[in-house]
């Protein structure tokens, strides 16, 4: 899953793709590099990011989704927390809604996903993007995230979203300390046991910067190491900035597995 942020303030590519033509060209490039999914987002989810109103998010996202859905073979995913944006994106050709808020209060987004029979990324987050990094706490982060998925899968089914539409994402960096993040990546096998595809988003994230003192553009090595580790524990979708390098690393691992 290649990342395409149509935002002025995302942590790694903020401001690069505000022009729709540039965004579409970047999406085509991601697909050519091997992305089977392209995740288009119009509202930054980095800690403390300013909220964006619905009209502005629609203006940023929908033309890009429409163009990419008709010009690439990749499935278009839209990273949104708003039911109105999800509905418009699905109408414009998106196939997946990436819901970092796992809709706690408003069921409208789930209804839109159910009506379209679309894919749904169920991501775990403690708090909101404004508050999530203020002292996040867990007794047992792996067990609690697993419990959250079990509970949400039940509620989703009640709202008409079937289990086989859902991908599970532990939400790396969303209300987690460095220790929580490492525990979750080490413990992904517990989430694999829920028998749904796992999506992992670690690409260039700040925990890598904290470990190695590296700027976002210098975090590829650790991003790849996490992807390979997670693939070994059953993760199947990797939300990344560096598509070509990630595809190559995963293919190499597959080749090595075939010979053993
Ligand atoms: C939008 N966004 C930023 N980071 C993410 C992650 O780790 N997972 C998902 N699903 N979306 C993310």
């Amino acid at each position: 899953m290649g990342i395409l942020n149509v935002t002025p303030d995302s942590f790694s590519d903020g401001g690069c793709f505000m022009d729709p033509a540039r965004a579409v060209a970047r999406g085509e490039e991601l697909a050519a590099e091997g992305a089977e999914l392209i995740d288009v987002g119009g509202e930054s989810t980095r800690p403390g990011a300013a909220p964006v109103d619905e009209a502005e998010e629609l203006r940023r996202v929908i033309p890009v989704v429409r163009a990419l859905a008709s010009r690439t073979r990749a499935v278009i995913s839209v990273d949104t927390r708003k039911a109105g944006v999800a509905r418009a994106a699905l109408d414009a050709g998106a196939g997946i809604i990436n819901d970092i808020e796992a809709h706690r209060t408003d069921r409208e987004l789930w209804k839109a996903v159910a009506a379209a029979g679309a894919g749904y990324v169920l991501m775990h987050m403690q708090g909101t993007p404004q508050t999530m990094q203020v002292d996040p706490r867990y007794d047992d982060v792996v067990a609690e995230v697993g419990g959250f998925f079990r509970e949400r899968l039940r509620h989703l089914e009640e709202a008409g979203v079937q289990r086989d539409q859902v991908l599970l994402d532990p939400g790396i960096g969303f209300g987690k300390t460095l220790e929580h993040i490492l525990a979750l990546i080490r413990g992904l096998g517990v989430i694999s046991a829920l028998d749904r595809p796992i999506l992992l988003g670690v690409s260039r994230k700040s925990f890598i910067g904290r470990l190695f003192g590296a700027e976002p553009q210098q975090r590829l090595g650790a991003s790849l190491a996490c992807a390979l580790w997670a693939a070994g524990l059953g993760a199947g979708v990797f939300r990344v900035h560096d598509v070509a390098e990630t595809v190559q690393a995963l293919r190499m691992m597959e080749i090595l597995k075939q010979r053993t």
Side-chain angles (χ1 to χ4, degrees):
M1 174 185 271
I3 298 171
L4 180 55
N5 287 314
V6 193
T7 55
D9 54 347
S10 291
F11 78 95
S12 184
D13 57 356
C16 296
F17 305 113
M18 289 302 284
D19 168 28
R22 284 191 71 182
V24 173
R26 176 64 182 152
E28 290 180 308
E29 191 173 67
L30 294 169
E33 287 180 11
E36 292 173 15
L37 308 166
I38 298 172
D39 191 39
V40 181
E43 178 176 33
S44 172
T45 53
R46 71 178 166 70
V52 171
D53 70 34
E54 182 162 323
E56 176 61 13
E57 196 177 329
L58 287 166
R59 196 189 64 73
R60 291 179 186 175
V61 164
I62 300 304
V64 176
V65 170
R66 188 168 292 116
L68 287 176
S70 66
R71 287 199 214 171
T72 75
R73 285 169 38 183
V75 173
I76 310 305
S77 156
V78 172
D79 151 27
T80 187
R81 289 171 276 168
K82 298 186 184 75
V85 175
R87 230 177 272 116
L90 294 167
D91 284 347
I96 297 179
I97 298 301
N98 175 19
D99 178 12
I100 64 138
E101 207 164 78
H103 260 262
R104 298 146 209 244
T105 49
D106 168 11
R107 296 275 163 112
E108 287 304 309
L109 188 143
W110 287 0
K111 286 188 197 157
V113 171
Y120 179 75
V121 178
L122 169 60
M123 197 196 79
H124 177 274
M125 170 168 62
Q126 188 179 92
T128 67
Q130 282 70 43
T131 64
M132 64 192 181
Q133 288 309 113
V134 183
D135 196 22
R137 284 173 194 235
Y138 303 83
D139 289 328
D140 177 339
V141 66
V142 179
E144 286 173 47
V145 170
F148 169 84
F149 287 144
R150 267 186 223 96
E151 181 243 357
R152 288 281 132 175
L153 283 165
R154 266 199 315 276
H155 290 311
L156 278 158
E157 263 183 323
E158 287 159 15
V161 180
Q162 305 307 316
R163 279 180 78 92
D164 65 6
Q165 290 172 249
V166 181
L167 295 91
L168 304 178
D169 180 341
I172 299 303
F174 288 85
K176 280 119 192 156
T177 63
L178 175 60
E179 286 67 34
H180 298 141
I181 289 170
L182 296 178
L184 274 170
I185 298 174
R186 289 184 182 119
L188 277 180
V190 171
I191 297 170
S192 301
L194 294 174
D195 210 21
R196 296 306 315 137
I198 296 178
L199 187 156
L200 191 73
V202 295
S203 179
R204 302 186 186 174
K205 283 200 173 164
S206 63
F207 75 94
I208 300 173
R210 232 169 296 142
L211 283 168
F212 300 106
E215 293 302 314
Q217 316 296 331
Q218 300 163 336
R219 297 175 187 168
L220 177 60
S223 303
L224 291 175
C226 291
L228 294 179
W229 169 275
L233 291 177
V237 182
F238 304 91
R239 185 180 180 277
V240 301
H241 301 87
D242 304 287
V243 169
E245 293 81 356
T246 307
V247 168
Q248 187 181 71
L250 291 166
R251 287 203 179 132
M252 186 69 227
M253 203 181 69
E254 285 307 313
I255 290 167
L256 292 169
K257 276 204 298 200
Q258 282 162 19
R259 298 286 162 102
T260 55

